[in-house]
Amino acid sequence: VSDRPHVVIIGGGFAGLYLAKRLKRAAVRVTLIDRRNHHLFQPMLYQVATAALNPSDIASPIRSILRRHEHLDVILGEAVRVDTNARTVHLADGDTVSYDFLAVAPGARHSYFGHPEWESAAPGLKSLEDAVEIRRRVLLAFERAEREPSASARHELLTFVVVGGGPTGVEVAGALAEIRRFALARDFRHIDPREAEVMLLEAGPRILPSYPECLSARAKAELRELGVIVRESSAVTTVHSDAVEVEGGLRIPTTTVVWAAGNQASPLLTTLGAELTRQGRVVVEPDCSIAGHPEVLVLGDAAWHEHGGAPPVPATCPGGIQMGQHAAKAILATIAGKPRTPFRYFNKGQLAVIGRGRAVADLGKLRFSGFFAWLAWALIHIAYLIGFRNRVLVMIQYAWAYVTFAHGARLITGETGEYAARIARGA
Ligand SMILES: Cc1cc2nc3c(=O)[nH]c(=O)nc-3n(C[C@H](O)[C@H](O)[C@H](O)COP(=O)(O)OP(=O)(O)OC[C@H]3O[C@@H](n4cnc5c(N)ncnc54)[C@H](O)[C@@H]3O)c2cc1C
């Protein structure tokens, strides 16, 4: 086995995992490196952030997912540098791993457009830790408001601002509007959670800019029905711990901001020596490799693939999955001495959820919204969840929440005293 070609995969997200799965029966040795021990289903993260699901419902240990993969090793470690000449990956703990083929799929983080200092006041939503932290902030804001005697301070605590009107921002804003109206409405004695304000700020002229205009308008109308204040053409200029400032001089007092406005690819990619886009994604060749190094493939959110007159491959789960599956074919073709075929993305369309029974679907010629779009969203997402247990649990929790309007995962974890004191001080 040790003389089989060694395929090293950085990242056990959608691209990395589907590549590893495709190599299960191939005559190669595989090492998958991830800095976390779990594969995370990011599309349902907002439901952890808004207390509808538990972290373990949407994540599975990478080792257990791939345990039947005989010739595969999993390394829990962070890749910090790739030496494409020596064909080695350097880990943060000083170890090195050498490869014959390398697939780099480390995903992306949020970008604060040159203002990293905004992150502490406006966390983004990419990891389980992010989601649990947002959930904590949201629930703590209600707890603080319950004991706050000053009306203006209470209003500040009960104002929730979501920055960025893409699918994530729309999902988070819709879910916040719903929990304040339904799940939390009966839990407090001194405040009425239904009076909380949820605001969605979008810098561009319309929310869901990648969708057809009619669906953007539909999503905006649905959000308004839920009571979300949607502000388009409202670029954020500053984020403070107690307010957000918007272009044109508007200042919105708030202690809870969720950042869903921009992406920046992993810094690891800068070590590949390849051309990068402004967002730090690697400009890849038609087969997803980097120029001059056919043995190095970059996949998923980390890759910028724009070839053959087609639009660039979107940074979505299907984009990552299809690139991962293509990379397996490309590697096996090279091993067999055959030429590689170019990667072609098959666009299945896009779906964005807004709330309970509300979503928009753009499936090519088929565009629709409302309950059936939501049902399509729920079924497709449950089908792609990794792990049978997760699928069953999420399905049961969805059905329960649909009937009762309840959000069962309303736990505040971590230290509450210090953070509560900090929001009280506005620090
Ligand atoms: C909140 C949210 C909602 C979304 N909703 C949707 C949706 O509804 N539909 C849709 O299609 N897409 C959605 N997306 C986008 C989708 O999740 C991504 O496009 C997809 O996850 C990209 O897959 P990937 O394999 O490139 O990266 P990821 O899935 O992000 O995986 C990257 C992996 O690499 C690991 N890693 C990172 N850096 C290192 C390192 N240096 N060393 C070792 N390991 C590392 C990470 O731990 C992670 O496991 C959403 C994304 C977010 C954040």
Side-chain angles (χ1 to χ4, degrees):
V1 171
S2 60
D3 28 297
R4 291 178 171 199
H6 187 201
V7 180
V8 173
I9 304 171
I10 302 175
F14 286 90
L17 196 64
Y18 279 80
L19 164 59
K21 286 183 160 192
R22 277 284 160 104
L23 293 177
K24 189 173 171 192
R25 285 189 187 83
V28 292
R29 207 157 49 90
V30 181
T31 301
L32 192 152
I33 304 168
D34 201 302
R35 62 181 173 198
R36 303 196 191 274
N37 82 331
H38 54 265
H39 167 80
L40 174 64
F41 194 77
Q42 286 177 350
M44 284 183 172
L45 259 184
Y46 82 95
Q47 288 175 314
V48 174
T50 55
L53 293 175
N54 286 301
S56 59
D57 298 336
I58 62 160
S60 296
I62 295 172
R63 276 187 196 286
S64 13
I65 302 170
L66 297 171
R67 72 169 165 255
R68 291 203 182 89
H69 201 311
E70 241 181 280
H71 306 300
L72 179 137
D73 269 327
V74 177
I75 294 181
L76 177 65
E78 180 173 12
V80 288
R81 187 164 69 84
V82 175
D83 185 335
T84 49
N85 293 323
R87 297 193 179 185
T88 47
V89 176
H90 294 253
L91 305 186
D93 60 15
D95 259 3
T96 54
V97 182
S98 33
Y99 61 82
D100 298 306
F101 294 93
L102 175 68
V104 188
R109 284 291 294 168
H110 13 265
S111 136
Y112 289 85
F113 308 120
H115 292 281
E117 71 280 7
W118 295 353
E119 182 162 10
S120 59
L125 186 58
K126 288 278 185 210
S127 64
L128 278 182
E129 291 84 350
D130 295 337
V132 171
E133 176 61 18
I134 290 171
R135 178 178 78 181
R136 206 166 84 86
R137 290 185 184 206
V138 169
L139 297 177
L140 271 176
F142 282 102
E143 294 294 339
R144 289 290 308 154
E146 172 84 343
R147 291 174 56 202
E148 178 56 63
S150 142
S152 66
R154 225 169 30 236
H155 185 255
E156 185 177 310
L157 285 163
L158 292 180
T159 301
F160 300 92
V161 175
V162 180
V163 184
T168 301
V170 166
E171 286 164 4
V172 173
L176 286 175
E178 285 193 329
I179 53 167
R180 89 179 153 169
R181 214 153 103 177
F182 303 117
L184 295 178
R186 292 177 302 250
D187 285 8
F188 291 86
R189 296 287 167 268
H190 305 288
I191 55 165
D192 182 352
R194 287 172 295 192
E195 283 169 12
E197 250 174 32
V198 180
M199 221 179 258
L200 177 64
L201 305 178
E202 164 57 38
R206 62 184 174 101
I207 59 167
L208 297 182
S210 66
Y211 283 68
E213 266 186 72
C214 60
L215 290 183
S216 292
R218 192 62 242 148
K220 185 173 163 181
E222 299 263 9
L223 283 170
R224 284 192 164 156
E225 266 177 43
L226 287 173
V228 176
I229 302 165
V230 179
R231 283 180 167 272
E232 288 148 336
S233 306
S234 297
V236 165
T237 52
T238 317
V239 181
H240 304 283
S241 57
D242 59 352
V244 168
E245 284 176 29
V246 178
E247 219 169 38
L250 177 68
R251 185 183 165 92
I252 307 162
T254 173
T255 50
T256 316
V257 184
V258 179
W259 190 261
N263 279 330
Q264 185 66 34
S266 162
L268 172 70
L269 303 172
T270 58
T271 69
L272 292 172
E275 187 190 344
L276 301 178
T277 65
R278 240 166 35 120
Q279 285 188 335
R281 295 169 78 180
V282 173
V283 179
V284 293
E285 300 289 300
D287 65 349
C288 297
S289 68
I290 61 172
H293 287 281
E295 74 284 4
V296 179
L297 298 117
V298 180
L299 312 171
D301 284 9
W304 180 263
H305 186 285
E306 190 177 13
H307 292 285
V313 178
T316 58
C317 302
I321 291 172
Q322 291 180 33
M323 277 187 176
Q325 292 170 337
H326 173 84
K329 265 205 294 193
I331 290 169
L332 298 179
T334 302
I335 293 172
K338 293 185 186 150
R340 291 181 181 179
T341 52
F343 170 64
R344 286 203 206 293
Y345 175 62
F346 175 58
N347 187 0
K348 296 178 185 165
Q350 42 183 356
L351 287 156
V353 73
I354 299 155
R356 178 181 173 275
R358 299 167 194 261
V360 289
D362 169 26
L363 309 177
K365 287 194 185 116
L366 206 58
R367 292 168 182 172
F368 55 108
S369 59
F371 178 78
F372 286 105
W374 177 83
L375 196 63
W377 183 93
L379 293 176
I380 290 172
H381 283 72
I382 290 172
Y384 273 91
L385 262 177
I386 300 283
F388 179 72
R389 175 189 162 275
N390 286 349
R391 269 179 237 141
V392 173
L393 283 181
V394 168
M395 202 127 63
I396 293 169
Q397 293 186 58
Y398 264 30
W400 181 250
Y402 198 87
V403 176
T404 62
F405 291 90
H407 276 217
R410 297 203 303 273
L411 303 179
I412 301 175
T413 49
E415 207 41 70
T416 58
E418 193 270 334
Y419 177 68
R422 233 174 52 220
I423 24 181
R425 286 199 309 271

